[in-house]
């Protein structure tokens, strides 16, 4: 009996040891999968497609961001975002200019050509890129933008680009209106230019620098500021106590840190590129240049029957790309019915008894300027704020409307912002009670284009947390996010504010706010799909469509 009992105990011990070994092995495997391998398939907001198997997500050591304290969920989200945005640029060594992508030698061809197409049909286009010696490229990584348009109808929509990593790209369009539809493909940057932009993003995030004035009595000093500063000189630590957002200035030699008066853009570093690298950024040569068709560049689209149209509308409701299209210069979202606010009285009726907060950069300040110009009863109250900086305030006393604009906290490239006006969006949101008569709109992207992506992810994480808390305490609050937009590019602007940088920020913003309960104004597609030239601050007709979409979220069509 004792012998049998001894064998039972021995068996149980061996079984326990085996279970521990299995558990350790499984935990190790999970950690390995969690930290070493991230698989991502991704379509960005301009339609560019990337499919990658990333081993070991590389974190930028800038400012010690790789050591920041994150929860396991935050770490997983950041890994996923960084993995999805790893652009597939082949490591082919130095490439001479003549072997780089030449848009004038490259061409596209419509694949599924037919006598006519029906509205809702898919159009496929094949792009073949070649170098300046008219030789086919054997690798991908170029940044393309694609759209279809009908100039006479003032109609347009963007396309989805798939990179096959062999010099061929396929572009997919959904034909959304009847008539003669033209295809346009543009090379924004060649692969070789993208490699340079990657290097600048990783190695030279300080290429835009900032300064602050310190003053006490008759003594004043100006020092450099940034998210972090190199060297061992004494620093003033202006890290926000609530969000943890870092900001530092070199300490003045004679003044205390508490004597800081303002913040302003110091300037842009020069001489960032070699002569060879400069060749990849030439206006009229390889920056936002059209790629021509080797055959017909247009198709004829005919209307669907009524029954087919109804089915099409249902299928569009569940689709995500493109999010909308222009027709007769009016943006038509595919997911909901957008109202037209063509009369100031329509806007006044919508915003009556509401408080509207606009937070962010100058692209949402355009909304403030449009509303105060277009709506006569909305009178701006002079706060004595610096022009183009703010904060700004407008009031319609008769209809009880309050409109506020405030810029986001640093980094921000405005001329001069008083130190006491450097407010972070997350902190502002935490001070809002919210409710059915409260509207919040946020745009924050352009001033983060020179920094590693971790800086932007951290900022959005703080804002998202504050948005979630606001919607939790006041679920009827309307929160709208304005996305990034394409802009005009030259050799210098490309190094600081390229569409390629901003598409990354735009994609991060969409992913991080997906499912949060906010509304999205798709400024990215609204600029790419329009016939007007791209601008950092889009023309009025585009801003008007953005405001119509914003106001449609605030005052939706009654069904």
């Amino acid at each position: 009996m004792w012998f049998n009992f001894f064998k039972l105990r021995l068996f149980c011990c061996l079984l326990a040891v085996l279970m521990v070994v299995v558990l350790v092995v499984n935990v190790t495997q999970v950690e390995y999968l969690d930290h070493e391998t991230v698989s991502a398939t991704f379509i960005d907001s301009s339609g560019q497609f990337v499919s990658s198997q990333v081993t070991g997500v590389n974190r930028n050591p800038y400012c010690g961001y790789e050591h920041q304290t994150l929860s396991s969920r935050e770490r997983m989200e950041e890994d996923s975002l960084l993995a999805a945005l790893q652009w597939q640029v082949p490591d082919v060594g130095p490439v001479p200019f003549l072997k780089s992508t030449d848009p004038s030698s490259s061409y596209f061809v419509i694949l599924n050509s037919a006598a006519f197409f029906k509205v809702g049909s898919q159009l496929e286009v094949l792009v073949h890129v070649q170098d300046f010696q008219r030789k086919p490229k054997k690798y991908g990584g170029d940044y393309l933008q694609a759209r279809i348009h009908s100039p006479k109808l003032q109609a347009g929509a963007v396309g989805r680009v798939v990179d096959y990593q062999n010099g061929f790209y396929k572009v997919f369009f959904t034909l959304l209106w009847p008539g003669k539809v033209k295809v346009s493909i543009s090379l924004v940057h060649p692969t070789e230019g993208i490699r340079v932009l990657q290097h600048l993003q990783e190695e030279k995030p300080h290429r835009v620098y900032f300064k602050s004035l310190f003053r006490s009595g008759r003594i004043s000093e100006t020092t450099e500021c940034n998210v972090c500063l190199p060297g061992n000189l004494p620093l003033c630590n202006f890290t926000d106590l609530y969000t943890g957002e870092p900001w530092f200035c070199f300490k003045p030699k004679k003044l205390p840190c508490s004597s800081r008066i303002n913040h302003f853009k110091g300037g842009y570093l020069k001489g960032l590129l070699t002569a060879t690298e400069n060749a990849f950024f030439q206006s009229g040569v390889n920056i936002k240049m059209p790629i021509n068709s080797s055959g017909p560049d247009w198709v004829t689209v005919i209307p669907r029957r009524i029954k087919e149209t109804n089915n099409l509308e249902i299928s569009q409701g569940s689709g995500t790309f493109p999010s909308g299209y222009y027709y007769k210069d009016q943006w038509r979202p595919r997911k909901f019915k957008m109202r037209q606010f063509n009369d100031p009285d329509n806007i006044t009726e919508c915003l009556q008894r509401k408080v509207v907060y606009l937070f962010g950069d100058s692209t949402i300040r355009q909304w403030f300027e449009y509303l105060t110009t277009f709506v006569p009863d909305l009178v701006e109250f002079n706060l004595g704020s610096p022009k183009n900086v703010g904060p700004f305030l407008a009031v319609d006393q008769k209809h009880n409307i309050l409109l506020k604009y405030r810029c986001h906290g640093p980094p921000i490239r405005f001329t001069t912002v008083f130190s006491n006006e450097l407010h972070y969006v997350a902190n502002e949101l935490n001070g809002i009670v919210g409710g059915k008569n409260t509207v919040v709109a946020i745009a924050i992207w352009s001033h983060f284009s020179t920094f590693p992506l971790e800086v932007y992810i951290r900022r959005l994480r703080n804002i998202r947390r504050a948005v979630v808390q606001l919607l939790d305490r006041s679920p009827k609050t309307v929160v709208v996010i304005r996305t990034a937009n394409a802009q005009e590019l030259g050799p210098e602007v490309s190094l600081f504010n390229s569409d390629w940088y901003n598409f990354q920020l735009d994609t991060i913003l969409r992913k991080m706010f997906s499912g949060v309960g906010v509304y999205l104004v798709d400024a990215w597609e609204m600029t790419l799909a329009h016939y007007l030239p791209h601008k950092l601050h889009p023309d009025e007709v585009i801003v008007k469509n953005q405001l119509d979409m914003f106001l449609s979220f605030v005052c939706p069509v009654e069904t």
Side-chain angles (χ1 to χ4, degrees):
M1 178 179 176
W2 285 106
F3 179 73
N4 290 336
F5 180 68
F6 174 77
K7 286 199 299 183
L8 182 62
R9 289 184 61 185
L10 182 62
F11 175 76
C12 291
C13 289
L14 289 172
L15 184 62
V17 171
L18 181 62
M19 290 176 67
V20 171
V21 171
V22 170
L23 180 62
V24 170
V25 170
N26 276 294
V27 169
T28 304
Q29 289 295 323
V30 169
E31 289 180 346
Y32 177 80
L33 290 171
D34 219 15
H35 297 95
E36 296 297 328
T37 305
V38 178
S39 179
T41 301
F42 161 65
I43 299 172
D44 74 53
S45 48
S46 70
Q48 194 91 9
F49 176 88
V50 177
S51 179
S52 61
Q53 181 77 22
V54 184
T55 302
V57 174
N58 293 322
R59 294 180 175 277
N60 196 299
Y62 178 71
C63 296
Y65 267 73
E66 78 275 26
H67 301 307
Q68 63 178 320
T69 303
L70 300 174
S71 68
S72 58
R73 178 174 292 183
E74 290 171 341
R75 178 75 60 176
M76 188 179 300
E77 178 187 46
E78 190 167 289
D79 285 348
S80 176
L81 290 168
L82 295 176
L85 287 166
Q86 288 195 4
W87 198 262
Q88 297 298 289
V89 175
D91 186 11
V92 293
V95 176
F97 171 71
L98 290 178
K99 291 187 177 296
S100 66
T101 306
D102 175 16
S104 64
S105 298
S106 305
Y107 62 90
F108 71 85
V109 59
I110 296 175
L111 289 180
N112 56 337
S113 58
F116 57 84
F117 293 81
K118 290 185 178 182
V119 171
S121 300
Q122 292 292 308
L123 182 67
E124 296 182 13
V125 173
L126 185 69
V127 184
H128 189 196
V129 296
Q130 299 186 141
D131 62 24
F132 285 88
Q133 297 174 325
R134 294 191 174 275
K135 293 181 179 179
K137 296 285 290 289
K138 301 298 183 182
Y139 53 86
D142 301 290
Y143 181 37
L144 308 178
Q145 290 174 349
R147 73 183 182 106
I148 49 174
H149 54 109
S150 299
K152 290 184 178 180
L153 297 173
Q154 296 178 307
V158 300
R160 178 170 62 91
V161 181
V162 176
D163 184 352
Y164 287 100
Q165 297 295 314
N166 59 2
F168 286 93
Y169 301 78
K170 189 175 283 189
V171 186
F172 297 88
F173 297 100
T174 301
L175 301 168
L176 296 167
W177 63 88
K180 183 179 178 180
V181 178
K182 191 178 188 306
V183 175
S184 292
I185 312 289
S186 297
L187 173 75
V188 182
H189 294 299
T191 309
E192 298 73 22
I194 296 294
R195 293 175 66 184
V196 175
L197 295 179
Q198 285 180 325
H199 174 75
L200 292 176
Q201 187 178 47
E202 295 166 1
E203 303 297 332
K204 297 183 179 180
H206 57 285
R207 59 193 183 279
V208 176
Y209 57 95
F210 306 87
K211 291 187 176 183
S212 274
L213 172 67
F214 295 79
R215 181 187 295 148
S216 180
R218 296 183 177 181
I219 302 174
S220 63
E221 295 181 59
T222 299
T223 71
E224 188 175 336
C225 308
N226 218 316
V227 175
C228 69
L229 295 167
N232 298 314
L233 294 176
L235 299 175
C236 290
N237 186 351
F238 295 114
T239 298
D240 185 65
L241 297 176
Y242 300 98
T243 63
E245 291 287 352
W247 193 256
F248 299 89
C249 296
F250 286 122
K251 190 177 186 301
K253 294 179 180 179
K254 299 179 181 179
L255 296 174
C257 295
S258 58
S259 63
R260 182 174 65 150
I261 300 297
N262 62 26
H263 161 96
F264 58 96
K265 177 185 69 179
Y268 300 89
L269 292 181
K270 306 294 184 180
L272 292 169
L273 305 185
T274 65
T276 301
E277 292 171 335
N278 272 320
F280 302 135
F281 298 92
Q282 299 184 63
S283 295
V285 177
N286 50 17
I287 298 177
K288 283 205 173 180
M289 290 298 293
I291 294 176
N292 294 319
S293 171
S294 65
D297 61 356
W298 58 274
V299 296
T300 300
V301 183
I302 63 173
R304 284 181 176 264
R305 295 192 299 269
I306 295 177
K307 183 178 180 181
E308 292 176 320
T309 302
N310 291 337
N311 292 335
L312 176 66
E313 292 301 320
I314 294 172
S315 65
Q316 287 178 353
S318 59
T320 56
F321 190 88
S323 68
Y325 62 99
Y326 282 106
Y327 191 78
K328 295 183 178 178
D329 242 358
Q330 294 180 353
W331 183 250
R332 295 187 176 185
R334 298 176 69 195
K335 286 189 173 182
F336 74 103
K337 180 71 172 177
M338 190 175 91
R339 296 176 57 188
Q340 300 297 319
F341 292 82
N342 299 324
D343 190 287
D345 291 341
N346 301 145
I347 297 178
T348 299
E349 182 183 0
C350 175
L351 297 182
Q352 191 165 356
R353 294 186 298 277
K354 287 181 171 56
V355 179
V356 182
Y357 299 90
L358 305 178
F359 296 120
D361 54 39
S362 56
T363 61
I364 205 166
R365 189 187 69 222
Q366 276 192 290
W367 290 13
F368 182 92
E369 293 164 351
Y370 178 91
L371 289 171
T372 52
T373 301
F374 186 67
V375 182
D377 290 339
L378 201 52
V379 180
E380 185 173 353
F381 188 83
N382 187 2
L383 297 175
S385 302
K387 184 180 179 181
N388 297 334
V389 175
F392 300 127
L393 176 70
V395 179
D396 179 348
Q397 290 185 319
K398 180 179 178 182
H399 301 97
N400 199 15
I401 301 172
L402 183 62
L403 176 66
K404 297 181 177 183
Y405 165 77
R406 177 176 290 280
C407 68
H408 63 72
I412 190 160
R413 303 175 201 153
F414 284 178
T415 49
T416 301
V417 184
F418 295 123
S419 299
N420 61 348
E421 298 293 356
L422 288 172
H423 297 195
Y424 289 92
V425 174
N427 293 338
E428 291 296 302
L429 293 173
N430 288 333
I432 295 175
V433 175
K436 64 179 182 178
N437 290 323
T438 301
V439 181
V440 176
I442 303 168
I444 180 167
W445 57 278
S446 180
H447 299 261
F448 289 81
S449 57
T450 56
F451 292 94
L453 298 176
E454 291 88 339
V455 176
Y456 188 61
I457 292 172
R458 177 172 188 159
R459 181 62 57 89
L460 290 192
R461 190 185 295 124
N462 282 321
I463 293 174
R464 183 179 62 184
R465 185 182 299 115
V467 167
V468 170
Q469 292 171 350
L470 172 60
L471 293 176
D472 187 49
R473 64 177 176 267
S474 302
K476 292 185 178 180
T477 306
V478 175
V479 179
V480 179
I481 308 290
R482 181 205 187 275
T483 73
N485 60 261
Q487 69 172 87
E488 70 276 20
L489 294 180
E492 185 174 21
V493 174
S494 295
L495 308 184
F496 302 96
N497 237 37
S498 167
D499 282 359
W500 184 76
Y501 288 137
N502 292 327
F503 112 80
Q504 296 180 81
L505 304 182
D506 183 69
T507 304
I508 289 172
L509 182 143
R510 291 167 189 266
K511 285 178 173 287
M512 291 189 67
F513 280 92
S514 176
V516 173
V518 301
Y519 298 99
L520 207 69
V521 172
D522 199 336
W524 187 265
E525 285 195 24
M526 294 170 88
T527 49
L528 285 180
H530 205 270
Y531 56 83
L532 285 173
H534 300 163
K535 294 182 180 179
L536 174 60
H537 302 111
D539 286 335
E540 185 175 304
V541 62
I542 299 176
V543 175
K544 195 265 184 191
N545 276 287
Q546 293 174 4
L547 263 298
D548 283 348
M549 194 168 184
F550 164 68
L551 293 168
S552 295
F553 292 137
V554 179
C555 307
V557 175
E558 295 183 7
T559 58

